[in-house]
Amino acid sequence: MYEDSWYNFVPDHTHKRNPSIPQASGHRRRESLLQPPNGSKQPDVVEQLEELYEEPETTIDPPEPTLNRRAKSYSDFYHVVRAQLSKDAAAAKKRRRKARDRNLDALVVEKLDKADKDQELRRLESLDTELIESSHQEYLLYQDQLEVTERHLDTLISDANGALDLLTHLADSFRAVESQTSSFQAQCDDLLSEERRLQKLADEVGTDLHYYAYLDGVTRRLNAPGASRLVNHESFGEILTNLDACIAFMAKHPEYRDAESYLARYQSLLTKALHLLEVGFTGHLDRISSDLAKQIVATQSESARHALAYGRFEGMVFEADGLVANAQRVIRSCYDELGNPIPGQNFDYYSNTALSIFSSYTDVRDRDLRPMTQHDLEVFRKEAKEINAETACRNFIKQCYERSYDEASLFAKIFSIDPQYNVDPQSAYAALKAHPKALVNATNISPIATTLQSVLQTSELQTVCNLLGWITNEYLLLEYDEEETRYSIHCHDLTARLLLEHLWPLTDNAFEAEVTKSILKAPISPDSLKIAPVVNGVASSNAHPITKRALELLAMYDQAMPKERSSSPVIFRVVQETILAMQRAESRLRANKAANPEPDPDLFMIKNLLILKNGLVSLEIGDVRSHPAAMQHFSQIWDALSPQNWLGLFRGILGGSLPLGLWSSAAGASPTANGKAIPARTQAQPEQDANEKLDELLRQNIYAFTQRWGTLINTARSGKHGAKNLVATEKELDEKLLTAFGGQPEVVAKLKEAIQINAQAQKEMKAEKGVR
């Protein structure tokens, strides 16, 4: 804070004194009281002052920069500056006081002369001035900084005001320009809109012109000498696409100039292009066939033939990948992946080409695989003679199904479609089916049916039923834990069509012939009219032979057919012809005019009709047996036959107030054997007539049987002369019922109950007549 010369002037002055010159007494310095206690005098030598420990000198350099919080406003800045200045002034004042005290205490100098005093005073004044300036230096610095900041802020305000004035002037100028150019802008917008309209019109004209200009180029390409090679490249697909677009455009705009002429020419070019593809694909197949057919004939191994017919053939076909891709494109233009037709402007052109390609392909495959097909037929005929017809048919069906699956997979790979069953005549399935060949494929199952029919027509009916039952269970019905595969689905479809179109009609015809032979034209011998005892508790053991054969036919038909065909006309023809045969037998028994004929015709009819009804009910509920051990459905049959009030109906019939037909119709509706309501006879379906007829005959015979035996019971109870007693009559009734229904106590009990009801009704009617 102070200069070095100020601290050093005392020692310099001391050194300048001459020690040899005595000092005047008046100016002698008083001895110091700090003399040693022994009083010894020290040499009068002024030692140099020790270094003063003062605070570091304050410099006038600018203060070190500090990161102070920026004032948010002028008032904040003012308070901060004022507080800092007060703090600095107090610190400076404290330092000056301490420095002055130390200087005054430390400086002990001898009395100087006047000149020296003046000089010293001047020096002291200069030092005071320097001290004052030094003490005010910090405040001056802050003052200068504030002045600079103020000038800078004034400059910023002035510049901002100038910029704001400039922006205001520019905004006014822009508004003036905008107001002056609004009309010009509107005209420009109109011009731009017109330009866009003209551009769009030019594009449309150019696009429409393209459909006209394309004709010359494509005509030259398709009529060029090497046009047949186009079908092997992808550019051929582009030609077909462009031709489709041109034809669609001309058909959509018939009002355009020469549209009809261009449409006809484009269609002609499309026909020519498709013909080139057809010729190219057919030639490719012929080249493959000429090489492959010889190898198949020369090979005797079945595995080697299979590899040549499928693996090698597929590889050779896809050597011309461009040709195959173009063929797939043509086929997919008219059919989807399942062979369903895709309607379109050019469907007829593409479908005709597709049919031609399909025909060429099937011809080549049938010709190449003929050795394999002939070998399969020879094996089938050999097994049919040496083993049996059923085993031969099973093996042949398996072989044909595998061959058909392989053909379907190859066809799908080459043509990119998998035709499914479709009755639409425009579908791919119908197109392929219209060209039957000897080779079995997904659409051609006629070879299987023809081969099987040649053997089954001469086989027994049981063999046919066994084969149909095996096919149904093997391929139509899947186990609950069996997963569906492509092969199983394919076999399921083949089996459904094979059965529906061929084997089911064959089986129905065979059953019709058997019904005619064993039921319609069967002779009725006198011995067959007798009711023999039941054997081994089997209810049908003592039935008439015709009834037994009818049950056998019902069981075989149920074995061969699914339950959905249980309402087939064959079933009801069996029932109807059996009923007619039983009526013929009944008429022969009624020729005996005895009061109690043997055998009883009504009991004979009840026995055989109940057996037939029980077998028919078993068939409908899916529980058919060749020889059912008992009439397990008798309760259901009896409930269907019995009216709600037997006694009232018996009395009405006996009294003549109710006709017998009313009981037969059961008041217009009665339950059928399967528990469903039967509508009135006028609304009955044809397949329900056989059931109703059977129920009606059962009711009539039950009524006649119970009426006759009710009369015999009442006569025995009356004790008339010459009549059998009640015990003998009931014994005779028990013998007849036990002979006919041995082992069937429920049937015997129901018939006895009906006889008692009828007898009671007769007794009540007789009593009423006596009262009258």
Side-chain angles (χ1 to χ4, degrees):
M1 181 169 102
Y2 302 103
E3 294 180 359
D4 294 339
S5 59
W6 195 85
Y7 292 101
N8 297 331
F9 79 93
V10 176
D12 291 343
H13 178 74
T14 306
H15 286 212
K16 289 179 181 180
R17 290 177 60 187
N18 191 355
S20 59
I21 300 175
Q23 293 181 356
S25 57
H27 295 281
R28 186 176 183 162
R29 186 178 179 182
R30 185 185 298 178
E31 292 183 358
S32 176
L33 298 177
L34 299 176
Q35 294 290 338
N38 53 8
S40 61
K41 294 183 179 180
Q42 298 293 334
D44 190 9
V45 178
V46 178
E47 296 181 356
Q48 191 175 2
L49 292 174
E50 296 181 357
E51 184 178 358
L52 296 176
Y53 291 93
E54 299 184 25
E55 292 184 0
E57 182 181 0
T58 303
T59 62
I60 63 174
D61 295 334
E64 293 295 329
T66 57
L67 184 61
N68 295 327
R69 186 173 62 88
R70 183 177 179 183
K72 294 184 180 180
S73 62
Y74 176 78
S75 59
D76 294 338
F77 179 74
Y78 172 76
H79 291 300
V80 170
V81 171
R82 184 174 180 180
Q84 186 65 30
L85 291 177
S86 302
K87 182 179 179 181
D88 293 342
K93 184 176 181 180
K94 184 178 180 180
R95 285 195 300 271
R96 286 196 304 271
R97 185 183 298 111
K98 290 173 65 177
R100 184 173 63 252
D101 293 340
R102 284 195 303 269
N103 291 335
L104 292 176
D105 294 337
L107 295 178
V108 180
V109 295
E110 296 179 359
K111 189 176 181 179
L112 301 177
D113 54 7
K114 185 177 180 180
D116 291 336
K117 285 183 178 181
D118 294 339
Q119 184 179 1
E120 187 66 22
L121 288 174
R122 288 192 298 271
R123 291 184 61 189
L124 290 176
E125 290 178 357
S126 63
L127 290 177
D128 290 339
T129 303
E130 291 179 359
L131 287 174
I132 293 172
E133 291 179 356
S134 177
S135 64
H136 290 175
Q137 187 67 31
E138 294 181 2
Y139 304 104
L140 294 176
L141 177 62
Y142 282 113
Q143 183 181 3
D144 294 340
Q145 290 178 353
L146 291 175
E147 291 176 355
V148 171
T149 302
E150 183 180 6
R151 287 195 301 271
H152 179 65
L153 292 176
D154 292 339
T155 304
L156 290 178
I157 293 173
S158 177
D159 293 343
N161 292 332
L164 182 61
D165 295 338
L166 179 61
L167 291 176
T168 303
H169 178 69
L170 290 176
D172 295 339
S173 300
F174 277 119
R175 281 193 292 270
V177 172
E178 182 180 3
S179 62
Q180 295 175 2
T181 60
S182 58
S183 60
F184 178 74
Q185 183 178 3
Q187 295 177 0
C188 291
D189 292 339
D190 294 339
L191 291 176
L192 290 176
S193 300
E194 182 67 16
E195 181 183 5
R196 287 192 293 269
R197 188 186 68 82
L198 293 176
Q199 183 66 34
K200 182 180 180 181
L201 182 61
D203 293 340
E204 293 177 354
V205 171
T207 302
D208 296 347
L209 183 62
H210 169 73
Y211 295 106
Y212 286 88
Y214 185 71
L215 179 63
D216 294 335
V218 71
T219 302
R220 288 193 300 269
R221 295 186 67 182
L222 294 178
N223 292 325
S228 60
R229 294 191 295 270
L230 286 174
V231 297
N232 296 321
H233 302 285
E234 296 181 356
S235 59
F236 184 79
E238 298 178 359
I239 292 176
L240 294 179
T241 302
N242 293 332
L243 288 176
D244 289 342
C246 292
I247 292 174
F249 177 81
M250 296 301 171
K252 184 178 179 181
H253 302 90
E255 71 279 2
Y256 282 12
R257 182 177 180 180
D258 298 331
E260 296 182 359
S261 175
Y262 275 85
L263 176 61
R265 295 177 67 180
Y266 279 130
Q267 290 175 345
S268 176
L269 290 175
L270 178 61
T271 303
K272 183 176 183 60
L274 295 176
H275 178 70
L276 291 176
L277 177 64
E278 177 186 343
V279 172
F281 193 82
T282 303
H284 181 56
L285 292 179
D286 291 338
R287 288 189 296 271
I288 295 174
S289 176
S290 61
D291 183 24
L292 201 62
K294 298 177 182 179
Q295 300 181 30
I296 294 177
V297 173
T299 303
Q300 299 299 326
S301 174
E302 287 299 319
S303 59
R305 284 184 172 182
H306 186 275
L308 289 172
Y310 296 100
R312 178 60 178 162
F313 180 82
E314 179 184 350
M316 296 178 69
V317 168
F318 280 97
E319 287 178 358
D321 53 350
L323 178 62
V324 174
N326 290 326
Q328 291 177 355
R329 187 198 177 284
V330 169
I331 293 172
R332 292 303 299 273
S333 297
C334 54
Y335 300 114
D336 61 11
E337 60 181 2
L338 298 179
N340 300 317
I342 302 176
Q345 179 73 25
N346 303 321
F347 175 79
D348 294 336
Y349 298 95
Y350 284 108
S351 62
N352 291 334
T353 303
L355 294 182
S356 300
I357 292 176
F358 291 160
S359 179
S360 301
Y361 175 81
T362 53
D363 289 340
V364 169
R365 295 297 296 171
D366 183 68
R367 184 174 61 250
D368 293 347
L369 272 65
R370 187 163 298 171
M372 303 172 65
T373 305
Q374 293 295 333
H375 179 266
D376 294 341
L377 291 176
E378 293 174 359
V379 172
F380 170 72
R381 296 189 183 99
K382 183 179 179 181
E383 291 181 351
K385 291 180 180 179
E386 296 180 357
I387 305 177
N388 57 65
E390 183 178 347
T391 302
C393 291
R394 290 187 180 187
N395 294 334
F396 183 73
I397 290 173
K398 291 180 180 179
Q399 182 68 27
C400 290
Y401 280 7
E402 292 176 359
R403 183 70 47 76
S404 174
Y405 178 73
D406 293 337
E407 286 294 322
S409 300
L410 182 62
F411 187 90
K413 291 179 182 178
I414 295 177
F415 297 111
S416 186
I417 64 171
D418 185 14
Q420 301 297 320
Y421 179 80
N422 196 332
V423 296
D424 190 346
Q426 293 184 339
S427 63
Y429 175 85
L432 291 171
K433 189 178 180 181
H435 299 83
K437 303 294 180 182
L439 179 64
V440 178
N441 54 42
T443 58
N444 184 29
I445 59 174
S446 297
I448 305 177
T450 304
T451 305
L452 294 178
Q453 288 175 358
S454 63
V455 174
L456 295 178
Q457 287 176 350
T458 58
S459 302
E460 297 180 356
L461 184 59
Q462 186 63 50
T463 301
V464 178
C465 294
N466 292 340
L467 179 63
L468 263 65
W470 172 80
I471 294 176
T472 303
N473 295 326
E474 184 72 15
Y475 297 109
L476 281 185
L477 305 178
L478 296 178
E479 299 293 337
Y480 70 94
D481 57 345
E482 184 178 357
E483 295 183 0
E484 286 189 350
T485 61
R486 290 189 59 187
Y487 178 73
S488 65
I489 295 174
H490 181 80
C491 293
H492 181 277
D493 296 341
L494 289 181
T495 302
R497 299 206 311 270
L498 180 63
L499 292 174
L500 183 64
E501 298 175 6
H502 301 282
L503 296 185
W504 281 351
L506 172 67
T507 306
D508 290 346
N509 294 333
F511 269 92
E512 293 284 351
E514 183 64 24
V515 169
T516 302
K517 175 184 176 182
S518 61
I519 297 179
L520 179 61
K521 297 182 178 181
I524 301 176
S525 61
D527 294 338
S528 64
L529 298 177
K530 297 179 180 179
I531 300 178
V534 175
V535 179
N536 298 328
V538 179
S540 61
S541 61
N542 60 346
H544 194 273
I546 294 179
T547 305
K548 292 181 180 179
R549 184 56 180 168
L551 294 178
E552 293 175 357
L553 293 177
L554 292 176
M556 286 191 295
Y557 197 84
D558 181 73
Q559 174 192 358
M561 302 297 174
K563 292 302 176 186
E564 290 76 10
R565 298 202 77 222
S566 61
S567 60
S568 170
V570 174
I571 295 292
F572 296 96
R573 182 152 190 263
V574 172
V575 176
Q576 183 178 5
E577 294 298 338
T578 304
I579 292 173
L580 294 176
M582 293 299 99
Q583 287 178 335
R584 292 195 301 270
E586 181 188 14
S587 63
R588 293 181 60 177
L589 292 175
R590 291 191 184 278
N592 187 358
K593 301 300 182 180
N596 190 11
E598 182 64 31
D600 190 325
D602 294 319
L603 186 61
F604 174 84
M605 289 295 290
I606 293 173
K607 169 65 180 180
N608 287 279
L609 293 181
L610 277 178
I611 292 295
L612 181 60
K613 183 67 176 181
N614 186 75
L616 185 60
V617 173
S618 299
L619 173 65
E620 291 179 351
I621 65 173
D623 187 17
V624 178
R625 298 184 179 90
S626 298
H627 299 284
M631 289 189 190
Q632 65 273 25
H633 303 293
F634 175 75
S635 299
Q636 182 180 351
I637 298 170
W638 187 263
D639 293 338
L641 295 174
S642 300
Q644 296 297 327
N645 192 344
W646 281 70
L647 180 59
L649 285 172
F650 280 146
R651 292 180 61 185
I653 294 171
L654 293 173
S657 60
L658 292 177
L660 183 60
L662 179 61
W663 187 34
S664 301
S665 61
S670 63
T672 62
N674 57 8
K676 295 182 180 179
I678 296 178
R681 293 178 61 85
T682 57
Q683 300 178 355
Q685 299 297 327
E687 61 271 16
Q688 293 175 332
D689 293 340
N691 279 321
E692 290 186 359
K693 186 174 182 179
L694 184 58
D695 294 343
E696 182 178 355
L697 290 175
L698 275 171
R699 293 188 189 100
Q700 291 177 359
N701 286 280
I702 290 172
Y703 172 74
F705 179 76
T706 56
Q707 183 185 24
R708 183 171 64 255
W709 280 97
T711 303
L712 294 175
I713 292 295
N714 288 335
T715 303
R717 287 176 179 174
S718 64
K720 289 184 179 181
H721 179 71
K724 293 182 180 181
N725 57 24
L726 182 60
V727 176
T729 302
E730 290 181 349
K731 181 179 180 181
E732 183 181 0
L733 177 61
D734 291 340
E735 290 177 356
K736 287 181 176 293
L737 293 178
L738 291 176
T739 301
F741 302 103
Q744 306 295 324
E746 184 181 7
V747 180
V748 175
K750 291 293 184 180
L751 289 175
K752 284 185 176 181
E753 181 184 359
I755 291 171
Q756 295 296 332
I757 293 175
N758 201 312
Q760 182 180 356
Q762 293 180 20
K763 185 177 179 181
E764 292 179 358
M765 289 299 300
K766 186 177 180 180
E768 291 180 1
K769 289 180 180 179
V771 172
R772 293 177 184 176

